[in-house]
Amino acid sequence: MTDFVIAPPPQASVAVRNSAARFPVRRIFCVGRNYAAHAREMGKDPDREPPFFFTKPADVVVDNDQEIPYPPETKDFHYEIELVVAVGTGGRNIPADQVLDHLWGASVGIDLTRRDLQLAARDKGRPWDFGKAFDLSAPIAPLTPMFEVPSVEKGRIWLAVNGEIKQDADLADLIWSVREHVSILSHSIVLAPGDLIMTGTPAGVGPVVPGDIITGGVEGLGEIRTPIGPAL
Ligand code: MN
């Protein structure tokens, strides 16, 4: 047993549907601008340039139904509904046609974003971290094991704020499919069990304020509900 000088941090994890056991989270990779209509609303051309990735720390995951305090240092706190896939067996240079065999499960999550900080960083050529990788920035619904997942390639993906639909698209609209972008990612880093990939958001992103309730879902993968509380 390794002896640590301080107590090791708790293992970050997400819930699993119909199970008391949880999925341990190692890293969170996120795909940028992976739906054409969202790329356009962010002021970018949705041509099929290679996908790009950013990351969030593992311990920013938040369970379904947990209230999130409005985060500090922002006046433009945005939702982004996303399909999330979970890596069960890792690997490097995974061929696209083998990607699904490496996944343990899939779910729906929200890539919460301090949009003002993200855009300020983007425009100055600085890292996106403080716009994307802040505390409690990734609510994720319980994972569905792959053998019960109907599809990660088609099906409705939607988000509502206080019951009003804001994002409504289909996984078939992904510019780079799960098979494609996970394969590409595995050429840059060695994927490992516990890695999550947030696969990009469709058009319709926008702000929330304290008191709002975000709900969303992916067809066949359940729903997520995230209330926004007052700032701490
Ligand atoms: Mn996103």
Side-chain angles (χ1 to χ4, degrees), residues 31 54 80 82 111 132 200-201:
V31 188
F54 59 92
E80 296 189 355
E82 310 208 355
D111 169 15
K132 287 290 195 179
T201 199

